[in-house]
Amino acid sequence: MQRLVILGSTGSVGQSTLDVVALHPERFAITALTANTNVDIMLAQCKQFQPQTVVMSEPSAADRLQQELASIGLGHIEVKSGVDALCQVASSDGCDAVMSAIVGAAGLMPTLKAVQAAKRVLIANKEPLVMTGDLFMREAGKSGAVILPIDSEHNAIFQCLPVDQHKRGVRNVHLTASGGPFLGRTWQDLSTVTPAQACAHPNWSMGHKISIDSATMMNKGLELIEAAALFGLPAQQVNIVMHPQSIIHSMVEYIDGSFLAQLGSPDMKIPIAHSLSWPDRIESGAKTLDITEIARLDFQKPDMENLPCLRLARRAADEGGSAPAVLNASNEIAVEAFLAGRIAFTDIPTVIEAAMNAVGHCDISDIENVLNIDHEAREVAIAQLDSLS
Ligand code: NAD
Ligand code: MG
């Protein structure tokens, strides 16, 4: 029985994880669930999965949940709030594995604690990997934590690498990108798109932040930096290829000319089931892929002229050090402002570029250092928002 903690259980990845867990009650026990503020979904999850502990970020949400649980005879479930409680459940002796599925930099500290406590850590939450470079993998090397990628591209690469994960004979990795809802559109024509239009992804159903990142293609930029950090590859060896059908989730190219690819329906339950059970395989509940129904797979080079966010991410990857943390923090601020109707879709890269130009470059020495850079970049990005609106 694997004892599992899910950080961000009320989100898109969190709910898909519980869908897979529900198919295998003999294999997994949920010890803790966490969420920001969504009491209704958390209450339903508590009824179904009976965790020992729940953490809500907001104290008022925790109070409300506690009352609701008591009223239905589940008062024995411990309800906590705040970041320290998140870190405690993520590193508790009572769990074996942690699904890291909080969105954004908010997941950094609990995920790091899980790595330092030598858990099996399933990483969907890509932003902390982008912010910290190889720091997570170094910490995992020290503690012995097993890191399993959930992001579909990185999970695909993991599946296509040798079992011992040494990159023997790897020439390049190719991250596939669907292109999101605006594939083929000219960047300048997107100035009036609404958050609802930008969130309408053709192939994947996801949380708001990653949906906007997919529409700007920043998601692929973050994934490029994520891949370099996870697999210890120079960013120049990570290539991006447009593949609108989202059937090949990524590929590894070897020096002998072989390409290994992982294919499947675009459903996060597949990488989730893979990482939950690795090195075994379990059923995921995803729709089986009928390859004859797909019939064709298309690929093209990204049109970098039209993808300013991808250009900025490539620049951050090349600069290294603190640049990816600045990129990530300013992107989080810009996406939030776009979702709130404060700035136009096409202002997103303007905010990020201003932050990247303003915040001085340095190497990443430790986590304190990352948190300071993140803070500074957010302040610069917020000031930039004021100048735009
Ligand atoms: P989501 O917005 O649907 O869910 C986010 C979860 O995090 C929720 O449970 C929310 O309550 C919690 N949360 C939000 N802010 C928080 C805070 N400040 N403190 C604590 N908890 C907080 O997001 P998602 O789409 O599930 O994505 C989660 C992560 O996984 C992101 O980093 C995303 O890039 C990555 N990811 C998602 C998908 C996908 O298909 N959705 C695919 C690949 C990678
Ligand atoms: Mg992805």
Side-chain angles (χ1 to χ4, degrees):
M1 192 67 129
Q2 195 178 130
R3 297 166 306 169
L4 182 64
V5 169
I6 303 180
L7 304 174
S9 65
T10 58
S12 167
V13 172
Q15 294 191 52
S16 294
T17 305
L18 286 171
D19 289 345
V20 177
V21 164
L23 296 176
H24 305 279
E26 73 299 343
R27 268 190 101 107
F28 305 106
I30 299 294
T31 58
L33 297 175
T34 86
N36 203 17
T37 53
N38 197 324
V39 173
D40 295 341
I41 296 184
M42 184 56 88
L43 189 62
Q45 292 182 343
C46 285
K47 283 188 212 162
Q48 189 178 354
F49 295 97
Q50 309 265 333
Q52 291 156 14
T53 310
V54 170
V55 181
M56 303 298 292
S57 297
E58 296 270 322
S60 60
D63 290 346
R64 239 186 79 210
L65 180 70
Q66 198 150 34
Q67 285 164 17
E68 299 268 5
L69 285 170
S71 74
I72 53 168
L74 292 176
H76 56 277
I77 296 180
E78 182 185 31
V79 181
K80 297 179 169 183
S81 65
V83 179
D84 288 347
L86 276 180
C87 292
Q88 271 167 26
V89 294
S91 56
S92 141
D93 287 342
C95 81
D96 308 303
V98 175
M99 165 60 83
S100 163
I102 290 174
V103 58
L108 173 62
M109 290 316 289
T111 309
L112 184 64
K113 293 290 174 196
V115 172
Q116 289 170 335
K119 303 298 176 197
R120 177 185 173 103
V121 188
L122 285 56
I123 300 195
N125 184 196
K126 66 191 83 183
E127 292 88 349
L129 284 170
V130 172
M131 296 164 74
T132 59
D134 61 357
L135 198 135
F136 265 77
M137 299 313 279
R138 276 192 276 134
E139 289 295 320
K142 277 193 238 163
S143 72
V146 173
I147 307 270
L148 294 159
I150 293 294
D151 210 346
S152 55
E153 296 76 5
H154 306 75
N155 183 269
I157 292 166
F158 183 89
Q159 294 199 46
C160 296
L161 284 174
V163 178
D164 60 11
Q165 296 300 308
H166 288 298
K167 299 160 304 251
R168 275 193 302 268
V170 171
R171 180 180 283 151
N172 287 308
V173 301
H174 299 272
L175 293 182
T176 52
S178 70
F182 307 133
L183 178 66
R185 298 270 299 270
T186 305
W187 181 257
Q188 282 74 19
D189 291 349
L190 299 176
S191 60
T192 57
V193 303
T194 63
Q197 288 167 331
C199 281
H201 197 284
N203 305 343
W204 298 93
S205 154
M206 310 180 285
H208 286 162
K209 196 262 176 181
I210 185 175
S211 296
I212 302 304
D213 285 346
S214 299
T216 60
M217 284 282 283
M218 179 56 91
N219 185 48
K220 213 48 58 180
L222 298 176
E223 289 183 354
L224 148 74
I225 301 167
E226 179 187 11
L230 273 173
F231 302 112
L233 288 167
Q236 296 76 12
Q237 267 175 269
V238 185
N239 182 43
I240 290 168
V241 56
M242 308 306 293
H243 168 47
Q245 290 93 354
S246 297
I247 295 298
I248 291 190
H249 297 303
S250 279
M251 297 173 266
V252 178
E253 175 190 353
Y254 288 88
I255 49 176
D256 60 6
S258 297
F259 277 63
L260 297 191
Q262 185 260 352
L263 290 72
S265 309
D267 186 332
M268 288 304 291
K269 291 200 289 294
I270 297 175
I272 290 168
H274 169 266
S275 293
L276 280 172
S277 62
W278 183 84
D280 292 347
R281 296 265 178 183
I282 56 173
E283 296 218 2
S284 68
K287 186 170 161 259
T288 319
L289 179 66
D290 180 346
I291 204 95
T292 57
E293 212 174 276
I294 304 297
R296 59 179 277 184
L297 300 174
D298 295 301
F299 304 95
Q300 51 190 275
K301 288 201 168 93
D303 171 13
M304 294 303 277
E305 286 295 305
N306 259 315
L307 300 170
C309 285
L310 192 51
R311 285 202 304 273
L312 289 169
R314 186 55 90 178
R315 170 181 152 192
D318 290 343
E319 285 177 12
S322 54
V326 175
L327 175 92
N328 179 67
S330 52
N331 180 55
E332 286 193 30
I333 295 292
V335 170
E336 222 175 87
F338 169 65
L339 284 169
R342 279 192 67 190
I343 60 170
F345 184 74
T346 43
D347 288 335
I348 294 174
T350 312
V351 173
I352 300 166
E353 189 167 18
M356 288 180 72
N357 291 341
V359 179
H361 186 271
C362 64
D363 288 334
I364 296 287
S365 50
D366 53 29
I367 205 72
E368 198 67 42
N369 187 212
V370 176
L371 294 173
N372 287 336
I373 294 159
D374 177 76
H375 183 75
E376 188 186 347
R378 279 170 202 268
E379 292 205 325
V380 173
I382 289 168
Q384 182 66 23
L385 292 181
D386 295 338
S387 76
L388 283 170
S389 47

